[in-house]
Amino acid sequence: MSLANIKDSEVDIVIGVLHSDLTSFMNEWRPIFSRFHLIIVKDPDLKEELRIPEGFNIDVYSKSHIDRVVGSSSSIVFSGYSCRYFGFLVSRKKYIVSIDDDCIPAKDSKGFLIDAVAQHLANLATPATPFFFNTLYDPYREGADFVRGYPFSLRSGVTCALSCGLWLNLADLDAPTQALKPAQRNSRYVDAVMTIPSRAMMPISGINIAFDREAVGPALLPALKLAGEGNLRWETMEDIWSGMCVKVVCDHLGLGVKSGLPYVWRKDRGSAIESLKKEWEGVKLTEEIVPFFQQVRLPQTAATTEDCILEMATTVKQQLGPSDPVFTRAAEAMVEWVKLWKAVGSGSSPL
Amino acid sequence: MSLANIKDSEVDIVIGVLHSDLTSFMNEWRPIFSRFHLIIVKDPDLKEELRIPEGFNIDVYSKSHIDRVVGSSSSIVFSGYSCRYFGFLVSRKKYIVSIDDDCIPAKDSKGFLIDAVAQHLANLATPATPFFFNTLYDPYREGADFVRGYPFSLRSGVTCALSCGLWLNLADLDAPTQALKPAQRNSRYVDAVMTIPSRAMMPISGINIAFDREAVGPALLPALKLAGEGNLRWETMEDIWSGMCVKVVCDHLGLGVKSGLPYVWRKDRGSAIESLKKEWEGVKLTEEIVPFFQQVRLPQTAATTEDCILEMATTVKQQLGPSDPVFTRAAEAMVEWVKLWKAVGSGSSPL
């Protein structure tokens, strides 16, 4: 894997923190994280002081920072898992790696610790191939190449803007599935990275991802907030929505999205059955969201990620808004987010 | 893996034979093949008698059978690797597994023999999910499921019509790539099966595939014959062309295509550099073929695979024909193939 293109100084690791004691989490990640600058964003609903071990290069952001930047009148909510997006906003780096605080480094099939950050950066540093599927998986990996019949004109690929990693132990199932299979754990290590083809939609999770902030940062946004949203991953949808936004943007701008390695080890947390008792609107909303994002097309005039998000917000409001006010709020949050991104990203922010 | 749906008696294993001594090949496959009916088609250019060990349920077809069925005036050529298609034509089974005679069973990462036939049938017996990408790979495998955010309305999937396996040792590279990396061997066992998304094109190889003959049989056809075609896989294009035809048909008819497991072990054969010395038109043609198949759309009136192939033949002739006579010949072969399929498949053949 050639990482020649990406320097450590070009990377922020963003961790949205929903639990105050980070001692064990940080110590597990120490061999991997210690070379990088970390942005920790504390869930504004979390009252306790954070406990963070020494020896890291960290900036910590909490409710007071958030209030100072976005004010209290904003339609953007940074509660729960959405706090991570504040980290994306205030980062000044080209690349962001975002990992949830209930994940620790996984081991590969030979028992070696997986450096998830190095793998994400390798995925981003090498091209993606969204216009034709390579059955031999990522052709840029050592020992791999393009399969016979792959057009030579497409072999230089396109910039990879998003790398989506996976999960050992607790796979990212939804609450009904996890409730039906309470003992199911993911132990299959699939040693592959692949480009998701252009125009194919997928559910992107926010648990273990990395992206080119300069290229698609504004598309990773906290827009869809469920009314009964909880603080377990399967009680949220904000990352699924954001993932469809960023995939549509990538397809429109000719950028690539990869899925597969790296794995992280997700620890058990919460009860799926308890989660099901809440009014979980996610399943119902998904049925409307997916066809929408599958058919949405952006105009040629949308030349930047910001343009794309504003165009999509208009269409969301028009097409999805009438069926549920949650979509109108999402559209408003998208517009607000682009404003914020421009204000904070241009350096005019008070931070 | 549930194979409840597919009985051994519903399966033909088709082997196109380019080399006369099948002793070692058949003995290697004996534990896997011996339960099934085999169709062996001898390359009509191969003069020597076949050597086949005892203990199999086999029908062997040779030049005389081919001549009797297609006559000598046909635009269909069954030479070289194309001889396998004769086996697809005369089969009366619902499913076909097709494996090249330079492949032997592979071993998985734990050293166990891989039953490629069982895996192909598992791929075909379980649904495919072409309308939304599941990042957890084949959701129907034991221990796997749909990822959070996958719409429930799409979880029943569609019929899987084609299963494309992969290759350990010698990956299916083209001659230029193999010539550049003469020592490269594929040793990465990726333990995954996935559905190729609808509208995404891929190069399907004929080396290790299985398909639902009743659903898409007529789309697996010997149409594109290179002028300087040799008898090494990288000197041919007939399977790449056929693969794009069948993918377009599957997308149009709402059927699925899977790629990944099973692996077979491909033995070394031939010299890539010698192959490059031939006039190898494949690279150039691919650049025209791929954009064509990416944009071709079939009319709603095309309701069967036969209809689809005839529609495509017309478009091939119109759009690709003017640039190279090889495409006009391919279009003619497609029309001829559908005629043959209807004649032979309807039982009116003299076989």
Side-chain angles (χ1 to χ4, degrees):
Chain A
M1 290 187 299
S2 157
L3 295 182
N5 307 5
I6 300 183
K7 296 187 200 114
D8 291 358
S9 61
E10 292 182 285
V11 178
D12 267 336
I13 295 174
V14 172
I15 303 152
V17 170
L18 280 73
H19 299 85
S20 57
D21 189 354
L22 290 173
T23 312
S24 150
F25 171 81
M26 294 296 285
N27 284 331
E28 294 269 13
W29 282 103
R30 188 180 294 275
I32 294 166
F33 282 177
S34 54
R35 290 156 47 203
F36 296 93
H37 177 248
L38 276 71
I39 291 178
I40 287 185
V41 186
K42 188 182 166 189
D43 174 5
D45 300 337
L46 182 65
K47 301 301 170 204
E48 300 94 81
E49 283 286 303
L50 296 187
R51 286 168 59 187
I52 304 172
E54 293 198 345
F56 294 94
N57 174 14
I58 302 187
D59 285 322
V60 177
Y61 295 90
S62 58
K63 190 170 186 305
S64 60
H65 299 92
I66 294 174
D67 288 345
R68 210 186 314 155
V69 172
V70 302
S72 52
S73 64
S74 169
S75 63
I76 308 261
V77 181
F78 287 107
S79 290
Y81 284 104
S82 296
C83 68
R84 77 177 65 210
Y85 298 94
F86 189 77
F88 302 169
L89 188 69
V90 296
S91 167
R92 290 292 167 273
K93 302 293 175 67
K94 180 168 170 60
Y95 297 102
I96 282 180
V97 177
S98 173
I99 291 179
D100 272 12
D101 67 349
D102 57 355
C103 299
I104 58 172
K107 288 176 178 169
D108 68 16
S109 49
K110 290 173 188 129
F112 293 114
L113 195 76
I114 295 166
D115 186 339
V117 176
Q119 181 68 52
H120 273 307
L121 298 182
N123 293 349
L124 292 170
T126 50
T129 52
F131 304 122
F132 202 65
F133 191 82
N134 190 45
T135 52
L136 292 170
Y137 308 105
D138 186 347
Y140 301 100
R141 273 186 93 186
E142 201 179 314
D145 213 309
F146 290 95
V147 71
R148 179 173 61 92
Y150 204 102
F152 278 73
S153 59
L154 295 177
R155 293 190 186 198
S156 51
V158 302
T159 299
C160 179
L162 176 64
S163 163
C164 303
L166 296 172
W167 326 275
L168 287 174
N169 189 40
L170 204 67
D172 192 32
L173 308 177
D174 49 48
T177 306
Q178 193 69 64
L180 277 168
K181 301 178 173 179
Q184 181 155 307
R185 295 295 176 272
N186 185 28
S187 60
R188 184 178 290 131
Y189 183 89
V190 176
D191 187 14
V193 178
M194 73 198 65
T195 296
I196 307 297
S198 181
R199 302 290 173 211
M201 285 291 129
M202 64 190 289
I204 292 170
S205 150
I207 293 165
N208 169 26
I209 61 169
F211 57 96
D212 182 334
R213 184 184 174 278
E214 290 178 2
V216 295
L220 288 116
L221 40 71
L224 190 75
K225 202 85 184 168
L226 303 179
E229 182 160 309
N231 65 355
L232 295 170
R233 198 19 118 188
W234 51 48
E235 297 165 348
T236 66
M237 282 281 288
E238 117 285 318
D239 56 347
I240 302 292
W241 178 274
S242 159
M244 303 241 188
C245 289
V246 72
K247 184 64 167 65
V248 168
V249 169
C250 284
D251 288 346
H252 177 75
L253 297 178
L255 301 167
V257 175
K258 293 183 188 174
S259 179
L261 302 182
Y263 282 95
V264 294
W265 183 271
R266 270 187 93 202
K267 294 191 289 186
D268 293 1
R269 181 187 277 180
S271 153
I273 293 172
E274 286 302 312
S275 291
L276 278 178
K277 289 183 189 164
K278 300 197 182 192
E279 192 189 42
W280 194 67
E281 341 159 47
V283 169
K284 183 179 78 73
L285 292 180
T286 306
E287 301 298 326
E288 294 190 70
I289 291 169
V290 168
F292 170 78
F293 282 106
Q294 281 175 327
Q295 56 77 34
V296 69
R297 292 290 179 274
L298 302 173
Q300 279 303 319
T301 48
T304 66
T305 297
E306 286 90 338
D307 295 346
C308 293
I309 296 299
L310 293 176
E311 288 287 348
M312 253 190 288
T314 305
T315 322
V316 166
K317 198 166 188 169
Q318 285 167 354
Q319 294 186 18
L320 293 178
S323 88
D324 197 314
V326 74
F327 295 126
T328 308
R329 286 196 296 273
E332 284 161 8
M334 289 163 80
V335 175
E336 183 74 18
W337 178 256
V338 171
K339 271 188 212 156
L340 253 184
W341 193 272
K342 286 179 175 169
V344 177
S346 67
S348 63
S349 113
L351 272 192
Chain B
M1 289 187 300
S2 157
L3 296 183
N5 308 7
I6 300 183
K7 297 186 199 112
D8 291 358
S9 61
E10 292 181 283
V11 179
D12 267 336
I13 295 174
V14 172
I15 303 152
V17 170
L18 280 73
H19 299 84
S20 58
D21 189 355
L22 289 173
T23 313
S24 148
F25 171 80
M26 295 296 285
N27 284 332
E28 295 269 12
W29 282 104
R30 188 180 293 274
I32 295 167
F33 282 177
S34 54
R35 290 157 47 204
F36 296 93
H37 177 248
L38 275 69
I39 291 179
I40 286 186
V41 185
K42 187 182 167 189
D43 174 5
D45 300 336
L46 182 65
K47 301 300 169 207
E48 299 96 82
E49 283 286 303
L50 295 188
R51 288 168 59 187
I52 304 173
E54 294 198 343
F56 294 94
N57 175 14
I58 302 187
D59 285 322
V60 177
Y61 295 90
S62 57
K63 189 169 186 304
S64 59
H65 299 92
I66 295 174
D67 287 346
R68 209 184 316 154
V69 172
V70 303
S72 52
S73 65
S74 169
S75 63
I76 307 260
V77 181
F78 286 108
S79 291
Y81 283 103
S82 295
C83 67
R84 76 176 68 211
Y85 297 95
F86 189 77
F88 302 169
L89 188 70
V90 297
S91 168
R92 290 292 167 272
K93 303 293 176 67
K94 181 168 168 60
Y95 296 101
I96 282 181
V97 177
S98 173
I99 291 179
D100 272 13
D101 67 350
D102 57 355
C103 298
I104 58 172
K107 288 176 178 168
D108 68 15
S109 50
K110 290 172 187 130
F112 293 114
L113 196 76
I114 295 167
D115 186 339
V117 175
Q119 180 68 52
H120 272 307
L121 298 182
N123 293 349
L124 292 170
T126 50
T129 52
F131 304 122
F132 202 65
F133 191 84
N134 189 44
T135 51
L136 291 171
Y137 308 105
D138 187 347
Y140 301 101
R141 274 186 91 185
E142 201 179 312
D145 213 309
F146 289 96
V147 71
R148 178 172 62 91
Y150 204 102
F152 278 73
S153 59
L154 295 177
R155 293 190 187 197
S156 51
V158 301
T159 299
C160 179
L162 176 64
S163 163
C164 304
L166 295 173
W167 324 276
L168 287 174
N169 190 38
L170 204 67
D172 192 31
L173 308 177
D174 50 47
T177 306
Q178 194 70 64
L180 276 168
K181 300 177 173 180
Q184 182 154 306
R185 294 296 176 270
N186 185 28
S187 60
R188 184 178 289 130
Y189 183 89
V190 175
D191 186 14
V193 178
M194 73 198 65
T195 296
I196 307 297
S198 181
R199 302 289 174 213
M201 285 290 130
M202 63 189 292
I204 292 171
S205 149
I207 293 166
N208 169 25
I209 61 169
F211 58 96
D212 182 334
R213 184 183 174 278
E214 290 178 4
V216 295
L220 288 115
L221 40 72
L224 189 74
K225 202 86 184 166
L226 302 180
E229 183 161 307
N231 66 353
L232 295 170
R233 200 17 119 188
W234 50 48
E235 297 164 347
T236 66
M237 282 280 288
E238 117 287 315
D239 56 347
I240 302 292
W241 179 273
S242 159
M244 303 240 188
C245 288
V246 71
K247 183 64 167 64
V248 168
V249 169
C250 285
D251 288 346
H252 178 74
L253 297 178
L255 301 167
V257 175
K258 293 183 187 175
S259 179
L261 301 183
Y263 282 95
V264 294
W265 184 271
R266 271 188 91 203
K267 293 191 287 185
D268 292 1
R269 182 187 278 180
S271 153
I273 293 171
E274 285 303 312
S275 291
L276 277 179
K277 287 183 190 162
K278 300 197 182 191
E279 191 188 43
W280 194 68
E281 341 160 46
V283 169
K284 184 179 78 74
L285 293 180
T286 306
E287 300 298 328
E288 293 190 70
I289 291 168
V290 168
F292 170 78
F293 282 106
Q294 282 176 328
Q295 57 75 36
V296 70
R297 291 290 179 275
L298 302 172
Q300 279 303 317
T301 49
T304 66
T305 297
E306 286 90 338
D307 296 345
C308 292
I309 296 299
L310 292 176
E311 288 286 349
M312 253 191 289
T314 306
T315 321
V316 165
K317 199 167 189 169
Q318 286 167 354
Q319 293 185 20
L320 292 179
S323 88
D324 197 315
V326 74
F327 295 126
T328 308
R329 286 195 297 272
E332 283 160 9
M334 289 163 80
V335 174
E336 183 74 19
W337 177 255
V338 171
K339 271 188 212 157
L340 253 184
W341 193 271
K342 285 178 175 169
V344 177
S346 68
S348 62
S349 116
L351 271 191

